[in-house]
Structures are given as structure tokens and as C-alpha cells.
Amino acid sequence: MREKNYGYSRQYIDEDDINAVVEVLKSNFLTTGPKVAEFEEAIKRYLGVQYAVCVSSGTASLHIAAICLLEKGDKVLTTPNSFLATSNAIVYAQAVPIFVDVDAQANIDLNLCEAMLKKDNTIKAIFAVDFAGNMVDPKGLSYLSEKYGVKILEDCAHSLGASFGAHKAGDCSFCDVATLSFHPVKSITSAEGGCIVTNSEAIAKKASILRNHGIVRNSSEFIYNDDNPLYFEMQDLGFNYRLSDVHSALGLSQLKKIDFFLTTRRKLAQNYDKVFDNTSIRPLYKNASSSYHLYVIRVNFKELGKKRADIMKSLKSKGIMLQTHYIPINAQPFYQKMGYNPLSTPKALEYYNECLSIPLYVGLEDNEQEFIIDAIKSEILY
Ligand SMILES: *Cc1c(COP(=O)(O)O)cnc(C)c1O
């Protein structure tokens, strides 16, 4: 038996998933066959959106969405507390990220966004991230988009399955585009994969052309004439960001289990909540409607008199791998070279210095969670 290791997250694969993939391997299409369209239909139904365009990764979905929403030089408000791909997408599109500090849940602070929008009417968009599966306030985002005319992208890499009142993460009821990731640590997985969801026909059309090299095959849309029956036109500079049928079959099979995944994650989160209640270990938030991509605790390591790195090392020796989500993006050398500075977002920096993501995933057994809780308590409680 393999040595037990408890990461902050991992995939949950069952026999149905395996059979779904094997079925595709025995079929005629490994890529761009019926499974992609089936997966897209299922995503549309789940979210209640009009268009879903699957692509090869969450990063690819952000890249394409950024091209669809932004022009060169556009200023975009975004969060330093995310995976790099969120702001990288803005840079890919030759636009300019502006990092806004975070609120108490480590999500982009919408009050600070409004202060910036009041001062600078050339800001074009907000790229918000539902950090750890806890949604950014939809009312706040739609207020800003209506009052200041900014476009809204919701990065739902963490939040597929989450809700906020009547709004679901990625339902496009308060944003122009939402992006999903199906990396193994996320709500559902297709191994690698992502999706652009929108209610805009124009964005969906552009996204589906860009994912396949910018190629147009519908003759009524050709710019030139040619009687070659196989004639096609490249009308834009696109990419090969297609999702394969193999990946789509896995994603489709996983989506069928999302309610079970969410219930399990929320139950594990509640177990942690109960244990940490009234202790010096502070859960980042408690929210029964979160998708709980991550379970983040905040600890004042100075008060504790221990270094976070030492705690991480000690727990790692027991097989418990903690993570820090996230190093502020504006602290990365690439961004600092561009003139950004993490000191411009002090709350994100303070949050980073206190955060730890602890194991939370479907398949974590109760007795394993108890072992993890005991180990964390013995290292951290004071
Ligand atoms: C995982 C993630 C992405 C990128 O998704 P990939 O599928 O890994 O490319 C983007 N944004 C956030 C917030 C993520 O966590």
C-alpha cells in the first residue's frame, strides 16, 4: 500500500468515470467528436446559461475570454489573491491589470474597486475570482457594472457549484463571461480542461473560433469566394485550445456527481468549523453555499511564536501537505519587474502571511480527517 499522503485537494475518480473514458478510446473520435458538445450541453443546463465553449484548460478559457472582452491597453481591476492565470490572461490580451486589495474573505474588495472607478473613468473591466469557492457579491458586481459601465469576468475556477442568494457561480446573471477550470483539484475534473460560459452570442462565437486557430468553416461567413468544397478561412489569430473527447467524457461523467461532491466537501468543512470554533485557528469564512474548493485557516504565527514554514515541515513529515493560497500575484518577480509591488495591497500580503490551506477533498475519510485535525491542533493551538 502506498504511504498515506494528505494534500490540500485531489480528484475523486470512480468506475463510471473510467468506463466513460474507455468508451471514447474505443470510439471513432478521440477529439472534437460528440462528447465535447454533450459536455457543453450539460454545463449549459447545470448553470442555466445560453453558451458554453469548452477549451483545453482554465487558463485557456481566461485567455480567450480576455481577448473577447478587452482591447490593447485597457485597464482591468483584479485581485492579487488568485492563481497567476487570472492576471496573466489580462497581460496576454495586452491589457493592464490593476491589483485591488482584498476584503475579510480574501476576495477582491468591491468598495476599493468603486473608489478606483470613481477616480479613473478609463477602467474597462473587473476580473473577479470567487476565492476558495466563496462567491464575490453578485449585487456588488452588477452595481459596479451598471454604474461605471465596466465589463465583468467571473473566474469560477474555485466556485463551480457555489451560490450566493439566487445567483449561482458562473450563471452569468451578473457578469459578461465566466470561466471554469477542470484541473484535478477543482470541483469536477476532466484531467485538464476549462470552459467559457456566457449569455452573449457574439462572445460565444468569437470564443469558439479562437479555440480552433481562428478558423471559420461556415461559407455564409466567408470574406473571400472559393469553389473548393474544403475551403475555409482563418479570419483571426487563434489557438489550438480544443478540449478532446477523452477529456470531455471524463468531465461529463464527473458533472453527474457534482451534488455528491459539494455535499461531501461542505460536510468536511463543517467538521473543521466545529473543531476550530472559539480557538486561535480562524477559518477564513463559514459559508454553507461555498463550493469549498479550499479550506483556509488564518493563524497569527507571531502570536503563536512559531514559523509557518516549520509547522508545514512538521506536518509534512506526517504526510499532511498544507498549502499557501496565494502568494500575492503582484509579489512575483515578473510583475515586480513591470512595476507592481505587493505593498500596494497590504491586506492581501497580511492575509498571505497568515494563511494555510488544509486537506479537504471528496474521498477524505472521517478517521483521516480526525488524524489531520489532531495533528493541526497539536502544532497550532495556543
Ligand atoms: C486553477 C485556476 C486557474 C487555471 O486553471 P487551469 O485549468 O489550471 O489552467 C485559473 N484561475 C484560478 C483562480 C485557478 O484556481
Side-chain angles (χ1 to χ4, degrees):
M1 227 181 89
R2 84 187 158 94
E3 184 102 349
K4 275 282 185 183
N5 265 330
Y6 309 101
Y8 75 93
S9 187
R10 56 172 283 126
Q11 71 274 19
Y12 180 88
I13 300 289
D14 67 13
E15 283 302 312
D16 288 338
D17 295 329
I18 293 166
N19 292 335
V21 170
V22 170
E23 196 186 301
V24 173
L25 291 174
K26 292 176 178 169
S27 77
N28 289 330
F29 293 98
L30 293 189
T31 193
T32 320
K35 288 295 167 191
V36 184
E38 271 181 56
F39 189 27
E40 289 172 344
E41 283 305 314
I43 292 167
K44 277 157 58 175
R45 236 179 296 126
Y46 180 71
L47 292 176
V49 292
Q50 280 182 279
Y51 304 97
V53 179
C54 279
V55 290
S56 50
S57 69
T59 303
S61 70
L62 280 161
H63 185 183
I64 286 185
I67 293 176
C68 290
L69 291 181
L70 306 173
E71 305 278 347
K72 187 175 177 177
D74 281 357
K75 293 179 194 164
V76 183
L77 302 182
T78 191
T79 172
N81 184 39
S82 182
F83 183 59
L84 305 162
T86 315
S87 59
N88 286 355
I90 299 166
V91 179
Y92 295 156
Q94 297 182 281
V96 182
I98 299 174
F99 294 102
V100 180
D101 213 348
V102 298
D103 62 17
Q105 283 81 45
N107 268 331
I108 190 167
D109 186 326
L110 296 183
N111 292 321
L112 291 177
C113 286
E114 177 159 33
M116 287 174 162
L117 289 164
K118 270 190 183 145
K119 269 194 287 187
D120 183 347
N121 64 9
T122 67
I123 294 167
K124 292 288 164 55
I126 301 176
F127 277 27
V129 178
D130 298 325
F131 177 68
N134 185 40
M135 280 173 71
V136 176
D137 181 4
K139 282 191 303 298
L141 285 171
S142 50
Y143 162 78
L144 294 179
S145 107
E146 273 159 38
K147 181 151 186 203
Y148 299 93
V150 286
K151 294 172 183 164
I152 308 287
L153 177 143
E154 185 188 11
D155 180 342
C156 301
H158 295 186
S159 58
L160 183 63
S163 59
F164 192 119
H167 302 275
K168 264 187 181 177
D171 70 5
C172 297
S173 58
F174 56 94
C175 67
D176 298 279
V177 184
T179 57
L180 313 178
S181 164
F182 309 125
H183 182 277
V185 296
K186 309 294 167 79
S187 298
I188 64 164
T189 187
S190 64
E192 293 279 3
C195 189
I196 297 137
V197 293
T198 181
N199 287 325
S200 155
E201 187 184 359
I203 290 174
K205 193 164 173 206
K206 184 159 185 181
S208 67
I209 291 170
L210 288 176
R211 81 170 153 186
N212 191 28
H213 308 281
I215 288 172
V216 172
R217 290 187 194 277
N218 182 349
S219 61
S220 69
E221 290 164 21
F222 287 163
I223 292 167
Y224 302 134
N225 291 315
D226 192 304
D227 62 4
N228 172 1
L230 292 181
Y231 178 71
F232 63 84
E233 284 184 351
M234 178 188 146
Q235 296 184 350
D236 212 337
L237 184 63
F239 314 91
N240 177 357
Y241 278 169
R242 294 186 307 264
L243 189 67
S244 81
D245 263 39
V246 178
H247 293 84
S248 300
L250 178 55
L252 188 59
S253 173
Q254 287 258 304
L255 186 56
K256 292 178 185 155
K257 293 186 277 278
I258 191 165
D259 288 339
F260 161 64
F261 289 171
L262 290 167
T263 311
T264 310
R265 283 181 172 276
R266 287 169 181 157
K267 164 131 191 316
L268 290 166
Q270 273 173 12
N271 294 344
Y272 280 138
D273 287 345
K274 263 186 230 141
V275 171
F276 300 143
D277 217 19
N278 294 315
T279 72
S280 49
I281 297 174
R282 291 171 290 141
L284 178 61
Y285 61 81
K286 286 182 198 167
N287 176 2
S289 304
S290 169
S291 57
Y292 276 102
H293 165 57
L294 302 174
Y295 192 93
V296 178
I297 56 173
R298 289 185 74 159
V299 179
N300 188 329
F301 294 99
K302 275 200 203 103
E303 265 177 41
L304 175 62
K306 276 189 188 172
K307 282 194 180 141
R308 179 171 61 184
D310 292 335
I311 291 170
M312 291 168 79
K313 251 183 256 166
S314 164
L315 289 170
K316 192 176 170 195
S317 72
K318 298 177 184 169
I320 301 167
M321 328 287 245
L322 306 187
Q323 254 286 4
T324 53
H325 296 99
Y326 286 99
I327 302 163
I329 298 176
N330 49 5
Q332 294 294 347
F334 173 84
Y335 283 96
Q336 293 217 38
K337 259 192 290 178
M338 288 171 82
Y340 294 97
N341 190 325
L343 297 175
S344 74
T345 51
K347 286 195 178 137
L349 196 55
E350 186 192 341
Y351 158 78
Y352 164 62
N353 286 322
E354 295 188 351
C355 74
L356 277 174
S357 304
I358 68 177
L360 179 79
Y361 48 86
V362 182
L364 187 66
E365 305 281 346
D366 284 346
N367 63 329
E368 295 176 324
Q369 191 181 28
E370 278 160 27
F371 165 74
I372 290 162
I373 286 169
D374 287 343
I376 289 174
K377 274 166 57 178
S378 73
E379 281 291 337
I380 299 181
L381 279 191
Y382 56 95

